[in-house]
Amino acid sequence: MSIGLARLPSLDLIRGFVAVGRRMSITLAAQDLCLTQSAVSRQVLALEDMLGVRLLLRGHRSIAFTPEGERLFRCADGAISALQDVVGVLRGGAAARPVTVSTSIGVAGLWLMPRLGDFLRAHPGIDVRLSASNRVADLKVDGLDMAVRYCPPETVPDGAQRLFGETIAPVAHPSLGLAGTLELADLERRVLLEFDGEYRPWLRWSEWLASQGWDGLKPRGVLRFNQYDQLVQAAIAGQGVALGRLELIGQSLADGRLCRLETPRPGPASPNAYWLLRAEAAGRPEVDEVARWIVAEAAVTGRGEPGRDELGQEEKDG
């Protein structure tokens, strides 16, 4: 149901929310808007109060969309982008169009965002816009420059470049004290964090427990999430044990916020990998620069993340 124009939130509130959504960081959004962090936080809170719903889940050094927030961001981001393009043309600034990268919410929050600050500091003349959504976007129709896709090789679009594969293993915060090789009794005393999104057997605890011969295990509880980045934040907060996608959470493993748990046997293998898809083979110079950076970061991920030994030959052959 539509509402009257006078009842729409102010552009300042929408702009502040979109800035946070693009960066998934209040600090970086404040830099983009030349405001203080507290001012941007107040804008988002004021928008939430006006709408009567929560738009963001605020964790320790992290934020994530609620379902309502994701829906609003998807619409508002497109509207703000259109305004930016038109105003840029009117002001003669069309050449400074940002490089738009589409990817899932999990990849944006866990893999791209922690790295993007370094790129922007090294390339102050290039603006990057993340379009984070779990909907598979059409690059040409949606006006996107590139996308990071997650899929098996047989469904990869023509021209896509493989970035890295996927390794799955249990992870937890060190405070849970799960040192050494996991045993059935270790998990029976814990809450299992379950990704309840699209069905993927290699990310389900039922499949993983079956691979260890622990089908009858009854954990203390199960906490389910429909967004993978929310599941990771719960694991970092010590709320339970998660099945970690090691390539995406590499920085959390490296800085000790999460630790990989050793297992008696390998779990189910993921058939999927991450791929870079370009809208055009030869684009603007700034688009090429962003693509080169993503490929270089992916190469480091493929070489350096824990658990890559078993995929080493695949990376060489791929």
Side-chain angles (χ1 to χ4, degrees):
M1 181 178 66
S2 182
I3 65 171
L5 187 62
R7 297 177 60 193
L8 281 175
S10 74
L11 181 59
D12 281 345
L13 300 187
I14 295 293
R15 184 174 59 178
F17 171 67
V18 167
V20 172
R22 289 178 177 180
R23 297 287 206 165
M24 296 310 288
S25 164
I26 291 177
T27 300
L28 294 177
Q31 294 174 9
D32 291 344
L33 296 172
C34 299
L35 297 173
T36 64
Q37 294 183 42
S38 59
V40 175
S41 293
R42 287 195 298 271
Q43 287 181 340
V44 176
L45 288 171
L47 183 59
E48 289 179 324
D49 288 342
M50 184 175 186
L51 297 176
V53 296
R54 291 189 67 185
L55 301 174
L56 298 175
L57 296 173
R58 298 158 177 85
H60 181 60
R61 297 182 181 178
S62 68
I63 58 175
F65 286 125
T66 64
E68 294 83 2
E70 181 183 354
R71 182 180 181 185
L72 178 61
F73 176 76
R74 200 179 305 163
C75 175
D77 184 41
I80 293 292
S81 295
L83 278 174
Q84 287 179 287
D85 291 344
V86 171
V87 172
V89 170
L90 295 177
R91 289 184 174 178
R97 186 160 54 96
V99 178
T100 306
V101 183
S102 169
T103 187
S104 69
I105 295 171
V107 172
L110 296 173
W111 192 79
L112 268 175
M113 282 306 310
R115 296 164 168 80
L116 191 55
D118 291 339
F119 174 83
L120 295 174
R121 283 187 286 271
H123 302 84
I126 299 179
D127 291 336
V128 178
R129 180 170 72 88
L130 285 185
S131 178
S133 172
N134 292 334
R135 176 182 65 89
V136 177
D138 185 306
L139 299 188
K140 292 184 179 180
V141 171
D142 294 333
L144 304 169
D145 294 303
M146 66 188 75
V148 177
R149 294 274 173 83
Y150 171 75
C151 59
E154 58 268 21
T155 65
V156 175
D158 292 339
Q161 182 175 2
R162 188 180 189 276
L163 296 176
F164 48 84
E166 181 173 60
T167 313
I168 308 296
V171 297
H173 190 272
S175 64
L176 296 190
L178 294 173
T181 302
L182 271 180
E183 297 180 0
L184 184 145
D186 295 324
L187 293 183
E188 286 181 330
R189 296 192 297 266
R190 307 293 174 182
V191 172
L192 301 184
L193 307 178
E194 180 83 278
F195 180 49
D196 207 19
E198 182 180 345
Y199 180 68
R200 296 177 178 128
W202 57 95
L203 290 175
R204 295 293 178 126
W205 273 110
S206 58
E207 301 291 332
W208 189 88
L209 292 171
S211 73
Q212 308 299 307
W214 297 345
D215 306 66
L217 181 140
K218 296 186 182 303
R220 196 178 78 191
V222 178
L223 186 56
R224 303 180 187 277
F225 300 84
N226 69 344
Q227 299 292 345
Y228 188 75
D229 57 332
Q230 296 173 8
L231 179 149
V232 172
Q233 294 307 318
I236 291 173
Q239 295 180 13
V241 183
L243 288 176
R245 303 158 85 168
L246 301 189
E247 288 72 23
L248 293 188
I249 63 173
Q251 292 198 357
S252 297
L253 293 167
D255 63 23
R257 288 179 293 164
L258 289 173
C259 59
R260 178 180 179 175
L261 309 179
E262 298 301 322
T263 60
R265 305 170 190 164
S270 169
N272 284 10
Y274 298 85
W275 311 78
L276 180 64
L277 182 63
R278 297 278 301 271
E280 298 178 2
R284 295 174 285 139
E286 58 268 32
V287 175
D288 295 336
E289 191 64 40
V290 173
R292 281 193 293 269
W293 169 74
I294 289 176
V295 170
E297 289 294 322
V300 174
T301 295
R303 289 195 305 268
E305 298 298 347
R308 299 306 299 170
D309 291 346
E310 64 268 32
L311 296 181
Q313 189 59 47
E314 178 186 345
E315 294 291 341
K316 295 175 184 177
D317 295 342

